[in-house]
Amino acid sequence: MELPPKVKNMLLLDSEGKRVAVKYYSDDWPTNSSKEAFEKAVFTKTQKTSARAEVEVTALENNIIVYKFAQDLHFFVTGGEEENELILDSVLQGLFDAVTLLLRGNVDKREALDNLDLIFLCFDEIIDNGIVLETDATVIAGKVGIDSTDPNAPLSEQTISQALATAREHLTRSLLK
């Protein structure tokens, strides 16, 4: 039986290699310091490349890393050396495009930090326990986005922020009666 493709981590670093948003799905880096050391190694290995137009691929510590840069943000997706690069590429492209949609094209560190909740929700929509769930940017952004579904839709089909807004609306209505 073939196992589904697995992602070990998704990293969003700034132009100096500092964390903006990261999520690990593997025990390969058990401590925070080992995670930071890996992030530094990834950044150091890739900082001299020009991965702005196309997605680039590199190998590091028995891992395949696909990455792309936008302004002062560096996007990385890591998989094991046995993973298919095209799948990792589609995960990265889905993340990059969804973040671009949600940030309305302003893909920079300041905007990313202002919308960190949306970026982490993107991570959660794309990957669950390392398993790829979704790579279509419009689907991801639609599930994460605040105004993307009908407010009368069942709670199970709403995002967290939409569900909270609906609950707030119902509470306000009940208090005004």
mmCIF file of all heavy atoms in Angstrom, residues 145-175:
data_model
loop_
_atom_site.group_PDB
_atom_site.id
_atom_site.type_symbol
_atom_site.label_atom_id
_atom_site.label_comp_id
_atom_site.label_asym_id
_atom_site.label_seq_id
_atom_site.Cartn_x
_atom_site.Cartn_y
_atom_site.Cartn_z
ATOM 1 N N GLY A 145 -10.885 32.698 4.201
ATOM 2 C CA GLY A 145 -11.367 34.059 4.064
ATOM 3 C C GLY A 145 -12.588 34.358 4.906
ATOM 4 O O GLY A 145 -13.394 33.495 5.204
ATOM 5 N N ILE A 146 -12.739 35.602 5.281
ATOM 6 C CA ILE A 146 -13.788 35.987 6.220
ATOM 7 C C ILE A 146 -15.155 36.128 5.551
ATOM 8 O O ILE A 146 -16.153 35.714 6.093
ATOM 9 C CB ILE A 146 -13.378 37.287 6.935
ATOM 10 C CG1 ILE A 146 -12.176 36.967 7.818
ATOM 11 C CG2 ILE A 146 -14.507 37.851 7.756
ATOM 12 C CD1 ILE A 146 -11.445 38.137 8.335
ATOM 13 N N ASP A 147 -15.215 36.669 4.347
ATOM 14 C CA ASP A 147 -16.505 36.910 3.710
ATOM 15 C C ASP A 147 -16.794 35.911 2.597
ATOM 16 O O ASP A 147 -17.524 36.205 1.671
ATOM 17 C CB ASP A 147 -16.555 38.322 3.134
ATOM 18 C CG ASP A 147 -16.363 39.363 4.198
ATOM 19 O OD1 ASP A 147 -16.963 39.232 5.274
ATOM 20 O OD2 ASP A 147 -15.602 40.295 3.951
ATOM 21 N N SER A 148 -16.212 34.712 2.673
ATOM 22 C CA SER A 148 -16.269 33.829 1.515
ATOM 23 C C SER A 148 -17.521 32.960 1.440
ATOM 24 O O SER A 148 -17.833 32.456 0.389
ATOM 25 C CB SER A 148 -15.035 32.951 1.492
ATOM 26 O OG SER A 148 -14.991 32.192 2.672
ATOM 27 N N THR A 149 -18.240 32.762 2.542
ATOM 28 C CA THR A 149 -19.425 31.910 2.454
ATOM 29 C C THR A 149 -20.674 32.653 2.910
ATOM 30 O O THR A 149 -20.608 33.685 3.553
ATOM 31 C CB THR A 149 -19.287 30.629 3.314
ATOM 32 O OG1 THR A 149 -19.169 31.008 4.677
ATOM 33 C CG2 THR A 149 -18.110 29.783 2.904
ATOM 34 N N ASP A 150 -21.787 32.079 2.606
ATOM 35 C CA ASP A 150 -23.083 32.608 2.983
ATOM 36 C C ASP A 150 -23.205 32.612 4.510
ATOM 37 O O ASP A 150 -22.987 31.592 5.155
ATOM 38 C CB ASP A 150 -24.136 31.690 2.353
ATOM 39 C CG ASP A 150 -25.537 32.051 2.762
ATOM 40 O OD1 ASP A 150 -25.729 33.147 3.326
ATOM 41 O OD2 ASP A 150 -26.441 31.238 2.507
ATOM 42 N N PRO A 151 -23.559 33.747 5.122
ATOM 43 C CA PRO A 151 -23.674 33.790 6.585
ATOM 44 C C PRO A 151 -24.771 32.857 7.121
ATOM 45 O O PRO A 151 -24.775 32.515 8.292
ATOM 46 C CB PRO A 151 -23.984 35.244 6.893
ATOM 47 C CG PRO A 151 -24.391 35.868 5.614
ATOM 48 C CD PRO A 151 -23.846 35.027 4.509
ATOM 49 N N ASN A 152 -25.688 32.436 6.263
ATOM 50 C CA ASN A 152 -26.737 31.517 6.703
ATOM 51 C C ASN A 152 -26.341 30.053 6.517
ATOM 52 O O ASN A 152 -27.150 29.163 6.758
ATOM 53 C CB ASN A 152 -28.029 31.810 5.937
ATOM 54 C CG ASN A 152 -28.539 33.207 6.226
ATOM 55 O OD1 ASN A 152 -28.438 33.681 7.352
ATOM 56 N ND2 ASN A 152 -29.037 33.893 5.203
ATOM 57 N N ALA A 153 -25.120 29.814 6.073
ATOM 58 C CA ALA A 153 -24.636 28.439 5.897
ATOM 59 C C ALA A 153 -24.522 27.777 7.264
ATOM 60 O O ALA A 153 -24.348 28.448 8.279
ATOM 61 C CB ALA A 153 -23.277 28.453 5.208
ATOM 62 N N PRO A 154 -24.621 26.433 7.307
ATOM 63 C CA PRO A 154 -24.468 25.761 8.600
ATOM 64 C C PRO A 154 -23.097 26.056 9.211
ATOM 65 O O PRO A 154 -22.126 26.262 8.475
ATOM 66 C CB PRO A 154 -24.596 24.274 8.256
ATOM 67 C CG PRO A 154 -24.805 24.173 6.795
ATOM 68 C CD PRO A 154 -24.847 25.533 6.207
ATOM 69 N N LEU A 155 -23.034 26.078 10.540
ATOM 70 C CA LEU A 155 -21.776 26.398 11.232
ATOM 71 C C LEU A 155 -20.630 25.494 10.790
ATOM 72 O O LEU A 155 -19.497 25.927 10.732
ATOM 73 C CB LEU A 155 -21.952 26.296 12.750
ATOM 74 C CG LEU A 155 -22.645 27.480 13.421
ATOM 75 C CD1 LEU A 155 -22.771 27.238 14.906
ATOM 76 C CD2 LEU A 155 -21.909 28.772 13.153
ATOM 77 N N SER A 156 -20.915 24.235 10.471
ATOM 78 C CA SER A 156 -19.849 23.305 10.090
ATOM 79 C C SER A 156 -19.168 23.710 8.789
ATOM 80 O O SER A 156 -18.045 23.292 8.528
ATOM 81 C CB SER A 156 -20.404 21.889 9.960
ATOM 82 O OG SER A 156 -21.379 21.858 8.936
ATOM 83 N N GLU A 157 -19.815 24.538 7.983
ATOM 84 C CA GLU A 157 -19.224 24.963 6.714
ATOM 85 C C GLU A 157 -18.626 26.360 6.797
ATOM 86 O O GLU A 157 -18.165 26.897 5.807
ATOM 87 C CB GLU A 157 -20.277 24.908 5.604
ATOM 88 C CG GLU A 157 -20.726 23.506 5.285
ATOM 89 C CD GLU A 157 -21.802 23.471 4.218
ATOM 90 O OE1 GLU A 157 -21.997 24.481 3.525
ATOM 91 O OE2 GLU A 157 -22.440 22.416 4.099
ATOM 92 N N GLN A 158 -18.639 26.970 7.974
ATOM 93 C CA GLN A 158 -18.093 28.309 8.130
ATOM 94 C C GLN A 158 -16.692 28.242 8.731
ATOM 95 O O GLN A 158 -16.360 27.302 9.442
ATOM 96 C CB GLN A 158 -18.987 29.144 9.043
ATOM 97 C CG GLN A 158 -20.357 29.403 8.472
ATOM 98 C CD GLN A 158 -21.182 30.305 9.380
ATOM 99 O OE1 GLN A 158 -20.685 30.841 10.354
ATOM 100 N NE2 GLN A 158 -22.446 30.460 9.041
ATOM 101 N N THR A 159 -15.887 29.263 8.446
ATOM 102 C CA THR A 159 -14.578 29.344 9.083
ATOM 103 C C THR A 159 -14.795 29.766 10.535
ATOM 104 O O THR A 159 -15.885 30.201 10.914
ATOM 105 C CB THR A 159 -13.677 30.376 8.388
ATOM 106 O OG1 THR A 159 -14.267 31.667 8.550
ATOM 107 C CG2 THR A 159 -13.469 30.065 6.920
ATOM 108 N N ILE A 160 -13.747 29.689 11.325
ATOM 109 C CA ILE A 160 -13.844 30.062 12.745
ATOM 110 C C ILE A 160 -14.303 31.512 12.879
ATOM 111 O O ILE A 160 -15.201 31.820 13.670
ATOM 112 C CB ILE A 160 -12.497 29.849 13.449
ATOM 113 C CG1 ILE A 160 -12.194 28.356 13.516
ATOM 114 C CG2 ILE A 160 -12.486 30.461 14.836
ATOM 115 C CD1 ILE A 160 -10.798 28.015 13.940
ATOM 116 N N SER A 161 -13.693 32.393 12.108
ATOM 117 C CA SER A 161 -14.055 33.805 12.225
ATOM 118 C C SER A 161 -15.498 34.051 11.790
ATOM 119 O O SER A 161 -16.200 34.870 12.375
ATOM 120 C CB SER A 161 -13.086 34.681 11.433
ATOM 121 O OG SER A 161 -12.990 34.249 10.109
ATOM 122 N N GLN A 162 -15.949 33.308 10.768
ATOM 123 C CA GLN A 162 -17.343 33.449 10.336
ATOM 124 C C GLN A 162 -18.289 32.919 11.411
ATOM 125 O O GLN A 162 -19.336 33.511 11.671
ATOM 126 C CB GLN A 162 -17.571 32.686 9.037
ATOM 127 C CG GLN A 162 -16.891 33.327 7.849
ATOM 128 C CD GLN A 162 -16.855 32.390 6.664
ATOM 129 O OE1 GLN A 162 -16.799 31.183 6.824
ATOM 130 N NE2 GLN A 162 -16.864 32.952 5.474
ATOM 131 N N ALA A 163 -17.939 31.794 12.016
ATOM 132 C CA ALA A 163 -18.779 31.209 13.064
ATOM 133 C C ALA A 163 -18.886 32.163 14.257
ATOM 134 O O ALA A 163 -19.970 32.337 14.828
ATOM 135 C CB ALA A 163 -18.223 29.855 13.495
ATOM 136 N N LEU A 164 -17.767 32.793 14.625
ATOM 137 C CA LEU A 164 -17.790 33.759 15.731
ATOM 138 C C LEU A 164 -18.651 34.973 15.375
ATOM 139 O O LEU A 164 -19.408 35.467 16.214
ATOM 140 C CB LEU A 164 -16.371 34.205 16.086
ATOM 141 C CG LEU A 164 -15.510 33.157 16.791
ATOM 142 C CD1 LEU A 164 -14.074 33.650 16.921
ATOM 143 C CD2 LEU A 164 -16.079 32.823 18.163
ATOM 144 N N ALA A 165 -18.539 35.437 14.143
ATOM 145 C CA ALA A 165 -19.351 36.579 13.711
ATOM 146 C C ALA A 165 -20.841 36.220 13.746
ATOM 147 O O ALA A 165 -21.675 37.014 14.184
ATOM 148 C CB ALA A 165 -18.938 37.024 12.306
ATOM 149 N N THR A 166 -21.179 35.000 13.310
ATOM 150 C CA THR A 166 -22.570 34.540 13.333
ATOM 151 C C THR A 166 -23.072 34.454 14.774
ATOM 152 O O THR A 166 -24.182 34.907 15.082
ATOM 153 C CB THR A 166 -22.685 33.160 12.647
ATOM 154 O OG1 THR A 166 -22.183 33.277 11.322
ATOM 155 C CG2 THR A 166 -24.122 32.682 12.608
ATOM 156 N N ALA A 167 -22.247 33.892 15.667
ATOM 157 C CA ALA A 167 -22.625 33.776 17.080
ATOM 158 C C ALA A 167 -22.831 35.165 17.687
ATOM 159 O O ALA A 167 -23.785 35.392 18.444
ATOM 160 C CB ALA A 167 -21.557 33.004 17.845
ATOM 161 N N ARG A 168 -21.945 36.102 17.366
ATOM 162 C CA ARG A 168 -22.050 37.465 17.880
ATOM 163 C C ARG A 168 -23.353 38.107 17.394
ATOM 164 O O ARG A 168 -24.059 38.772 18.154
ATOM 165 C CB ARG A 168 -20.839 38.275 17.406
ATOM 166 C CG ARG A 168 -20.653 39.582 18.129
ATOM 167 C CD ARG A 168 -19.407 40.369 17.709
ATOM 168 N NE ARG A 168 -18.198 39.578 17.669
ATOM 169 C CZ ARG A 168 -17.485 39.347 16.556
ATOM 170 N NH1 ARG A 168 -17.859 39.861 15.408
ATOM 171 N NH2 ARG A 168 -16.389 38.630 16.599
ATOM 172 N N GLU A 169 -23.680 37.879 16.121
ATOM 173 C CA GLU A 169 -24.902 38.414 15.540
ATOM 174 C C GLU A 169 -26.144 37.879 16.262
ATOM 175 O O GLU A 169 -27.055 38.619 16.620
ATOM 176 C CB GLU A 169 -24.969 38.002 14.062
ATOM 177 C CG GLU A 169 -25.327 39.109 13.118
ATOM 178 C CD GLU A 169 -25.183 38.623 11.689
ATOM 179 O OE1 GLU A 169 -26.179 38.063 11.173
ATOM 180 O OE2 GLU A 169 -24.100 38.795 11.118
ATOM 181 N N HIS A 170 -26.154 36.550 16.474
ATOM 182 C CA HIS A 170 -27.294 35.935 17.173
ATOM 183 C C HIS A 170 -27.407 36.440 18.602
ATOM 184 O O HIS A 170 -28.526 36.676 19.086
ATOM 185 C CB HIS A 170 -27.159 34.397 17.148
ATOM 186 C CG HIS A 170 -27.395 33.792 15.807
ATOM 187 N ND1 HIS A 170 -28.557 33.956 15.092
ATOM 188 C CD2 HIS A 170 -26.594 33.034 15.026
ATOM 189 C CE1 HIS A 170 -28.479 33.329 13.934
ATOM 190 N NE2 HIS A 170 -27.271 32.760 13.862
ATOM 191 N N LEU A 171 -26.285 36.600 19.278
ATOM 192 C CA LEU A 171 -26.279 37.097 20.653
ATOM 193 C C LEU A 171 -26.819 38.533 20.692
ATOM 194 O O LEU A 171 -27.648 38.866 21.530
ATOM 195 C CB LEU A 171 -24.853 37.040 21.238
ATOM 196 C CG LEU A 171 -24.709 37.547 22.668
ATOM 197 C CD1 LEU A 171 -25.502 36.647 23.631
ATOM 198 C CD2 LEU A 171 -23.261 37.584 23.075
ATOM 199 N N THR A 172 -26.357 39.346 19.773
ATOM 200 C CA THR A 172 -26.825 40.736 19.716
ATOM 201 C C THR A 172 -28.328 40.787 19.475
ATOM 202 O O THR A 172 -29.032 41.560 20.157
ATOM 203 C CB THR A 172 -26.086 41.504 18.588
ATOM 204 O OG1 THR A 172 -24.675 41.371 18.781
ATOM 205 C CG2 THR A 172 -26.449 42.963 18.568
ATOM 206 N N ARG A 173 -28.810 39.973 18.539
ATOM 207 C CA ARG A 173 -30.261 39.931 18.256
ATOM 208 C C ARG A 173 -31.054 39.499 19.486
ATOM 209 O O ARG A 173 -32.094 40.077 19.783
ATOM 210 C CB ARG A 173 -30.540 38.986 17.099
ATOM 211 C CG ARG A 173 -30.591 39.715 15.787
ATOM 212 C CD ARG A 173 -31.199 38.855 14.682
ATOM 213 N NE ARG A 173 -30.198 38.792 13.639
ATOM 214 C CZ ARG A 173 -29.782 37.710 13.037
ATOM 215 N NH1 ARG A 173 -30.284 36.539 13.337
ATOM 216 N NH2 ARG A 173 -28.866 37.754 12.115
ATOM 217 N N SER A 174 -30.548 38.492 20.188
ATOM 218 C CA SER A 174 -31.290 37.993 21.353
ATOM 219 C C SER A 174 -31.280 39.007 22.501
ATOM 220 O O SER A 174 -32.238 39.095 23.260
ATOM 221 C CB SER A 174 -30.720 36.643 21.819
ATOM 222 O OG SER A 174 -29.421 36.806 22.328
ATOM 223 N N LEU A 175 -30.226 39.795 22.613
ATOM 224 C CA LEU A 175 -30.168 40.820 23.670
ATOM 225 C C LEU A 175 -31.069 42.009 23.341
ATOM 226 O O LEU A 175 -31.561 42.678 24.243
ATOM 227 C CB LEU A 175 -28.723 41.309 23.862
ATOM 228 C CG LEU A 175 -27.759 40.293 24.476
ATOM 229 C CD1 LEU A 175 -26.331 40.851 24.468
ATOM 230 C CD2 LEU A 175 -28.175 39.966 25.901
#
